[in-house]
Amino acid sequence: MALDQSFVGRTYPPTDPYEVGREKIREFAVAVGDANPAYADPEAAKALGHRDVVAPPTFVFAITFKAAGQVIEDPQLGLDYSRVVHGDQKFAYTRPVYAGDRLTVTSTIEAIKSMAGNDILDIRGEVHDEAGEHVVTAWTKLVARAAGTEEA
Amino acid sequence: MTEKIAYDDVEVGTELPARTFPVTRATLVRYAGASGDFNPIHWNEKFAVEVGLPDVIAHGMFTMAEAIRVVTDWTGDPAAVVEYGVRFTKPVVVPNDDKGATIEVSAKVAAKLDDNKVRVDLLATSAGQKVLGMSRAVVRLA
């Protein structure tokens, strides 16, 4: 069943702050096999002009996707998460994410489309720091495949 | 550290050093822990097959994270990446053996923009299939 179009434009309350830890950044960099010293060594990051270790470009997804859970699990929206696949992902940075940042995410439903029985949901997550300054915007496209289809 | 790449030293068509990234089941378990994405399609073969997949598949976000390493290794500074977007076109299928799968990534400068920025277009394939579509990054160079 197609999702309710009246949810387009709906914005959910900002999340509680997520504190970005140096060790969490290091763990993520190790998990993707990336030995760039800017992820692990504060001095190396400072040599590049940064105040602390930098998070890899896709690190923030863990935070924005958790925030998007407000949308995904909204019982009124009624998305069948068991049929959801990740369609597109995009980030636009005002500044990089650093260790020590306390980030909040505000999620908005940008679009709902229905194509061939699939529900396509575009969620925008605006990430701000503790001072209220914009850090990054994450756009996530989720596709809930129609029941009965089995394409990967 | 890598020397910083200067905007004036690149032109449209400049190729970035291509890379090949290995991915095994162990890689996916580690990424699940680091990212908090514990969807069983990324570690449980029985579950993956039940939902219609050929086998366990890599997290799309893992593939996205690997692909951008071609850009961050080139610039040296990961914070040079100001925009990055992809479409997840095909899954990276990861068999349960000691070889796993590989993700091959190439990239080239597609456009020079204002404010010392360039657009880099990436190509990511696995087992001969394009796994990321519309894969583009905007980076600010020195």
Side-chain angles (χ1 to χ4, degrees), chain A residues 66-136:
Chain A
K66 190 157 175 270
Q70 286 175 297
V71 181
I72 294 163
E73 291 156 17
D74 183 339
Q76 290 180 291
L77 180 64
L79 186 70
D80 179 1
Y81 188 63
S82 71
R83 306 204 68 82
V84 165
V85 294
H86 198 175
D88 292 26
Q89 183 61 40
K90 186 180 174 188
F91 303 100
Y93 279 89
T94 299
R95 69 157 174 88
V97 168
Y98 293 123
D101 276 336
R102 288 170 58 81
L103 304 176
T104 59
V105 187
T106 306
S107 299
T108 298
I109 298 179
E110 271 200 341
I112 295 174
K113 288 179 189 138
S114 187
M115 283 177 67
N118 298 328
D119 284 318
I120 303 164
L121 188 64
D122 288 305
I123 303 169
R124 187 182 76 244
E126 298 283 1
V127 181
H128 291 87
D129 64 18
E130 210 166 15
E133 300 292 328
H134 181 262
V135 178
V136 53

Side-chain angles (χ1 to χ4, degrees), chain B residues 31-48:
Chain B
Y31 183 79
S35 69
D37 182 346
F38 295 101
N39 189 328
I41 60 174
H42 305 306
W43 52 268
N44 183 332
E45 193 170 315
K46 180 169 173 282
F47 184 92

